[in-house]
């Protein structure tokens, strides 16, 4: 089960996506479907077939986003989070082999198309929660356990640019 949390930036991005799909993309694709349908035989009309499929994809995503936005809880930064890993934190970790990772712990719906975001529900995030700089976290994976040391923890305060901390 997914934890229904989202950062304020993530919530706003999902709202923008919904708005773009509903107000821009859907009307445009609907016009294309109507135009293609007016040409006659729909069974061999590639424009009609493609745009009808795209319309179904848009409608499916719109339904998902509406339901999702209704159920998500926005988690804003709070000063008492400083110094420990909580939801919304940018965390840099290092393992014994010297591999360094930097990522932000966010909600499930925020991780797509972002290789520097991980879900709050991931084994890594779960192992890091409430830990401080220099603490060790043992992350259990299918390949075995790996120990990570926390190098740094940072939070985006209200109004900071989402892209300012990208790895």
């Amino acid at each position: 089960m997914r934890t229904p949390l989202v950062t304020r930036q993530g919530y706003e991005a999902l709202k923008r996506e919904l708005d773009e799909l509903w107000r821009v993309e859907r009307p445009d694709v609907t016009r294309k479907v109507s135009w293609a349908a007016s040409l006659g035989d729909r069974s061999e009309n590639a424009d009609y077939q493609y745009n009808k499929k795209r319309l179904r994809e848009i409608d499916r995503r719109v339904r998902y986003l509406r339901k999702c936005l209704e159920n998500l809880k926005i988690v804003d930064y709070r000063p008492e989070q400083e110094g420990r890993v909580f939801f919304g934190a940018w965390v840099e970790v290092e393992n014994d082999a010297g591999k360094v990772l930097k990522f932000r712990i966010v909600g499930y719906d925020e991780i797509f198309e972002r290789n520097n975001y991980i879900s709050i529900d991931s084994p890594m995030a779960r192992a890091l929660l409430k830990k401080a700089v220099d603490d060790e976290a043992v992350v259990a994976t299918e390949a075995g356990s790996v120990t990570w040391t926390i190098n740094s923890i940072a939070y985006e305060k209200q109004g900071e640019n989402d892209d300012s901390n990208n790895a």
Side-chain angles (χ1 to χ4, degrees), residues 4 6 8 30 38 46 60 64 66 99 116 119 121 129 131 139 143 152-153 160 162 166:
V6 67
R8 182 153 312 270
T30 301
S38 73
R60 188 176 314 117
Y64 174 80
R66 284 183 174 158
K99 181 176 181 179
N116 58 342
S119 169
D121 299 315
L129 284 178
K131 299 224 183 301
V139 181
S152 67
I153 303 166
E160 284 187 10
D162 184 46
N166 285 352

Side-chain angles (χ1 to χ4, degrees), residues 81-101:
Q81 291 174 275
E82 281 301 324
R84 297 229 172 251
V85 177
F86 290 102
F87 187 85
W90 280 98
V91 184
E92 182 180 281
V93 295
E94 185 174 352
N95 68 10
D96 294 336
K99 181 176 181 179
V100 176
L101 299 174

Side-chain angles (χ1 to χ4, degrees), residues 9-20:
Q9 298 96 331
Y11 186 83
E12 294 302 325
L14 291 171
K15 272 181 37 181
R16 282 192 304 274
E17 180 187 355
L18 175 60
D19 191 56
E20 174 75 13

Side-chain angles (χ1 to χ4, degrees), residues 47-58:
D47 278 331
Y48 178 81
Q49 299 290 334
Y50 171 79
N51 286 298
K52 194 71 175 166
K53 179 178 182 263
R54 180 66 188 131
L55 195 56
R56 285 190 302 272
E57 291 167 353
I58 291 170

Side-chain angles (χ1 to χ4, degrees), residues 10-167:
Y11 186 83
E12 294 302 325
L14 291 171
K15 272 181 37 181
R16 282 192 304 274
E17 180 187 355
L18 175 60
D19 191 56
E20 174 75 13
L21 286 171
W22 189 250
R23 297 182 192 278
V24 178
E25 261 197 80
R26 192 176 195 288
D28 182 50
V29 174
T30 301
R31 278 191 294 280
K32 290 176 183 173
V33 167
S34 296
W35 170 80
S38 73
L39 298 177
D41 185 9
R42 296 175 188 169
S43 64
E44 294 185 21
N45 185 330
D47 278 331
Y48 178 81
Q49 299 290 334
Y50 171 79
N51 286 298
K52 194 71 175 166
K53 179 178 182 263
R54 180 66 188 131
L55 195 56
R56 285 190 302 272
E57 291 167 353
I58 291 170
D59 287 345
R60 188 176 314 117
R61 183 69 178 162
V62 164
R63 279 191 308 276
Y64 174 80
L65 287 171
R66 284 183 174 158
K67 184 177 179 188
C68 178
L69 289 168
E70 220 174 77
N71 296 318
L72 287 173
K73 179 180 184 239
I74 298 171
V75 178
D76 287 319
Y77 164 80
R78 293 183 328 276
E80 54 269 21
Q81 291 174 275
E82 281 301 324
R84 297 229 172 251
V85 177
F86 290 102
F87 187 85
W90 280 98
V91 184
E92 182 180 281
V93 295
E94 185 174 352
N95 68 10
D96 294 336
K99 181 176 181 179
V100 176
L101 299 174
K102 184 177 181 180
F103 48 80
R104 188 172 189 205
I105 299 173
V106 296
Y108 172 80
D109 292 295
E110 298 178 77
I111 63 173
F112 301 100
E113 298 176 24
R114 297 293 300 256
N115 62 3
N116 58 342
Y117 277 21
I118 66 169
S119 169
I120 185 73
D121 299 315
S122 69
M124 175 72 86
R126 290 290 181 201
L128 293 172
L129 284 178
K130 299 182 182 174
K131 299 224 183 301
V133 172
D134 294 329
D135 283 356
E136 289 185 348
V138 178
V139 181
T141 66
E142 292 177 8
S145 294
V146 180
T147 301
W148 295 88
T149 303
I150 300 172
N151 290 339
S152 67
I153 303 166
Y155 288 92
E156 291 180 14
K157 281 51 167 198
Q158 201 61 12
E160 284 187 10
N161 184 344
D162 184 46
D163 293 326
S164 64
N165 286 318
N166 285 352

